[in-house]
Amino acid sequence: MKKKWMTAAAAALILLGGCSPNIEKKEQVIQKDGNKEKAIIPNHQISDDYYRSIIPFKPGKARGMVVSNLNTRYDIIEFETGLMRIAQNQFNPNKYLFQEGQYLEKETVERWLNRKFTDEQAKEKKLKPDENAGLNPIDPGKGSIEQRNERSPVYLSHIMEHDYLVKTEDNSLKLGGAVIGLALNSVHYYQKEQYGAVYDYKIPPEEMEREGKKIAEEVAKRVRNHKDLKDVPVTIALFKQEAKNSVVPGNFIAYTHLDAGKGSIGSWEKVEEQYYMFPSPKAEKDHRDDTTYFLNFKQDVEKYFQNYNGVVGTALYNGEQLVDLKVEIPIQFYGKAEAIGFTQFVTGLVMDHFPAYVPIEVSITSSSGPEALIVKKADEEPYVHIFK
């Protein structure tokens, strides 16, 4: 173990244990554009990777729908945070302020997520023409249930809107742009009868992307027909959600940007992000060196406590580059001193086993809750926090 890193870790524990970052509380009062409500912009931005949000917080019009529409909590988190990463390609966090979607109403999103109905089906359901707005394909109604679901699966599972505001010279806010996330199913689930067994159809990736881009074209047209969104820049991004039993989140696969006033999609930018579970056969096959680093780290952690093998990691890759690694170590402690000693030990292992360029976050937990957090940014010394 490298002594200098242990010294740094110990110092960090002394300085940071039980403390919180010193965030400035100064805020600036401004006027919101349109309805002229007072709002507050926090002066402090905790990181260039995060947008500031205005106060008071305004929940999105479709708030809560993501929980029921996506398969796992991993997808729920990644869909939202990943959408913010996509936004940074067009909307600089130092200039723009974040607000949850205020323009696509919940009822609108619900209608768009439906299947499109034939005229006869719409009549049976007593739907007005503008209510028959489903973006998912029509159920063909012929053939076996398996054939119908494989020919016409549900591709679109959720739509999320994020808004980005800018401050104007007259000290007011206006909408500077919007980002629309389209969550696509990699697996289509269906039942042959009500309350019966659930069957699944794995949608081929190329089919999912192709149909997702078709849906995006229609979304772009509809967004431009919205009076508040017709003249602002809009980014539309495609997210592939994983199966219900997945232990890693899905990932964004592509995005496109519409300049202000532009109503049709020109080209798409491919997103090379993908998540891996460490350890796993897929990670070992695709990223052997990083898997070796992790397995050596895991082996040394397990030497600290006999018969322990609970170290797992979730790695995010952008192309071939490892851009984020989150490690979870659940363990039972019998005293705070034991937890502190273990945290120091793990901090040293982080510095010993992983290349300096790898950003790592290690969460140490027990049955009592979080015990410690170790955060090491690329080419930096670790930040260590002990929870009281």
Side-chain angles (χ1 to χ4, degrees), residues 170-240:
D170 64 350
N171 206 37
S172 66
L173 286 180
K174 71 173 184 178
L175 180 65
V179 179
I180 309 294
L182 306 180
L184 305 173
N185 289 320
S186 61
V187 180
H188 169 58
Y189 296 95
Y190 64 95
Q191 293 173 290
K192 295 182 180 180
E193 57 187 7
Q194 190 174 17
Y195 309 118
V198 177
Y199 299 85
D200 62 78
Y201 167 64
K202 293 179 175 60
I203 301 174
E206 62 278 5
E207 176 185 337
M208 177 195 65
E209 183 172 349
R210 182 184 67 246
E211 296 301 323
K213 289 179 178 179
K214 288 182 182 177
I215 291 170
E217 287 279 5
E218 179 61 27
V219 169
K221 294 177 184 176
R222 296 183 184 186
V223 165
R224 287 311 190 205
N225 286 330
H226 193 292
K227 63 182 179 65
D228 295 307
L229 298 173
K230 64 181 180 180
D231 293 320
V232 298
V234 174
T235 295
I236 301 176
L238 304 181
F239 177 80
K240 180 195 77 172

Side-chain angles (χ1 to χ4, degrees), residues 7 9 24 26 29 35 52 68 81 86 122 124 179 208 210 218 221 238 258-259 264 291 313-314 318 347 357 380 384:
T7 302
E24 297 176 24
K26 293 181 181 179
V29 178
N35 55 18
R52 289 177 293 167
S68 57
T81 57
I86 296 291
E124 290 177 359
V179 179
M208 177 195 65
R210 182 184 67 246
E218 179 61 27
K221 294 177 184 176
L238 304 181
L258 304 176
D259 291 330
S264 61
T291 300
T314 303
N318 191 337
T347 303
Y357 63 82
E380 293 185 13
V384 184

